Amino acid sequence: EMPKKGGKKGKKGKKGKKGEGEEGVELTPEEKEAKAKLRIEALERELVQRTDVMNRSMQSYNDMRQRQAELLADFEREKQDTFAITADMTRQYKAMQEELLRRINILENTIQEQKDQLDLARQANEDIRRQKDQELAVKDAQIADLKQKMEDMALEFGEMLKETLDKMSEKIEATSNDWEQDSGGDVQKKLEELSLGMAT
């Protein structure tokens, strides 16, 4: 705490004549000198006290100025550190953003390529399916045609077989009749005739 400026002022007494004491008695030179010394000592003490107060005030002011300078320096350092950290974080953020964008572009390109490949595979599969359907249709037609030909051949063969059997029956019947009419004929000759008739 800073002391108050100035010392305590004494009570003002009644002014007497110059060189006189409190009771109006004139002071001797020695008393005057002693009184002057006391006055000088009082003034010196007051000067020392005021000088001390001033020195302490100056010290406090200098301390405050130094503290203020330190705080300003700390603030400047903090500001520089904050700026450096912010700049570094901004750089890292931009680098991460660019990396993420690069990966996104790669993934998008990969997805598009896979879609294109899938579309091509679907188209190829569709082409193969249509080709297989066409081949199956051709084979079905061929099978139907072969079945029809087989049925036609079966009918034709049946008719031929029936015709042949009918002819054989007729020749057998005719031969049987000949045997009955000519029982004394040569059996070997009849068999040859029968064989020749079946061959025709």
Side-chain angles (χ1 to χ4, degrees):
E1 184 181 355
M2 295 176 60
K4 296 180 180 179
K5 294 183 178 180
K8 295 180 180 179
K9 293 183 179 179
K11 295 180 180 180
K12 293 182 179 180
K14 295 181 180 180
K15 292 183 179 179
K17 293 182 180 179
K18 189 177 180 180
E20 294 182 353
E22 294 178 356
E23 297 178 357
V25 180
E26 186 177 354
L27 300 176
T28 61
E30 290 80 4
E31 290 174 343
K32 289 179 180 181
E33 183 179 356
K35 188 175 181 181
K37 285 182 179 181
L38 291 174
R39 180 63 177 164
I40 290 170
E41 288 177 358
L43 291 173
E44 287 179 348
R45 283 195 300 272
E46 185 178 355
L47 178 62
V48 170
Q49 184 179 6
R50 292 194 177 198
T51 302
D52 183 60
V53 170
M54 185 182 66
N55 288 336
R56 282 185 290 176
S57 298
M58 288 298 296
Q59 183 65 38
S60 297
Y61 175 75
N62 291 333
D63 291 343
M64 285 177 22
R65 288 293 301 272
Q66 184 178 358
R67 180 59 179 164
Q68 183 183 16
E70 290 175 355
L71 290 174
L72 288 174
D74 291 341
F75 174 75
E76 189 65 28
R77 281 195 299 271
E78 289 291 335
K79 186 171 72 174
Q80 293 295 330
D81 292 342
T82 303
F83 177 78
I85 292 171
T86 304
D88 185 62
M89 290 180 66
T90 303
R91 181 184 59 79
Q92 291 181 6
Y93 170 75
K94 288 183 178 180
M96 289 175 63
Q97 188 179 35
E98 291 176 357
E99 178 64 17
L100 289 174
L101 289 174
R102 186 183 68 83
R103 291 183 180 181
I104 290 171
N105 290 331
I106 291 174
L107 290 174
E108 287 180 347
N109 292 332
T110 302
I111 290 172
Q112 187 61 43
E113 290 176 0
Q114 290 179 350
K115 285 183 177 179
D116 295 339
Q117 292 176 0
L118 182 60
D119 291 339
L120 291 174
R122 286 176 177 172
Q123 184 63 38
N125 186 38
E126 185 66 21
D127 294 340
I128 292 172
R129 188 185 64 80
R130 282 198 299 266
Q131 183 179 357
K132 293 297 181 182
D133 290 342
Q134 292 175 357
E135 292 177 356
L136 289 174
V138 171
K139 288 182 179 180
D140 288 339
Q142 291 176 352
I143 291 171
D145 184 60
L146 288 174
K147 284 182 178 180
Q148 186 63 42
K149 287 181 178 180
M150 288 176 65
E151 290 177 358
D152 294 341
M153 288 176 64
L155 290 174
E156 185 178 356
F157 178 76
E159 292 178 355
M160 290 174 61
L161 181 61
K162 183 177 180 300
E163 183 180 355
T164 301
L165 290 174
D166 290 342
K167 287 182 179 181
M168 287 180 65
S169 296
E170 291 175 357
K171 288 184 179 183
I172 291 172
E173 185 178 355
T175 303
S176 177
N177 291 331
D178 291 341
W179 281 350
E180 290 177 357
Q181 293 175 1
D182 190 8
S183 57
D186 189 3
V187 177
Q188 183 66 32
K189 186 178 178 181
K190 297 291 184 180
L191 288 174
E192 288 177 358
E193 290 177 356
L194 181 62
S195 296
L196 290 173
M198 290 180 66
T200 58

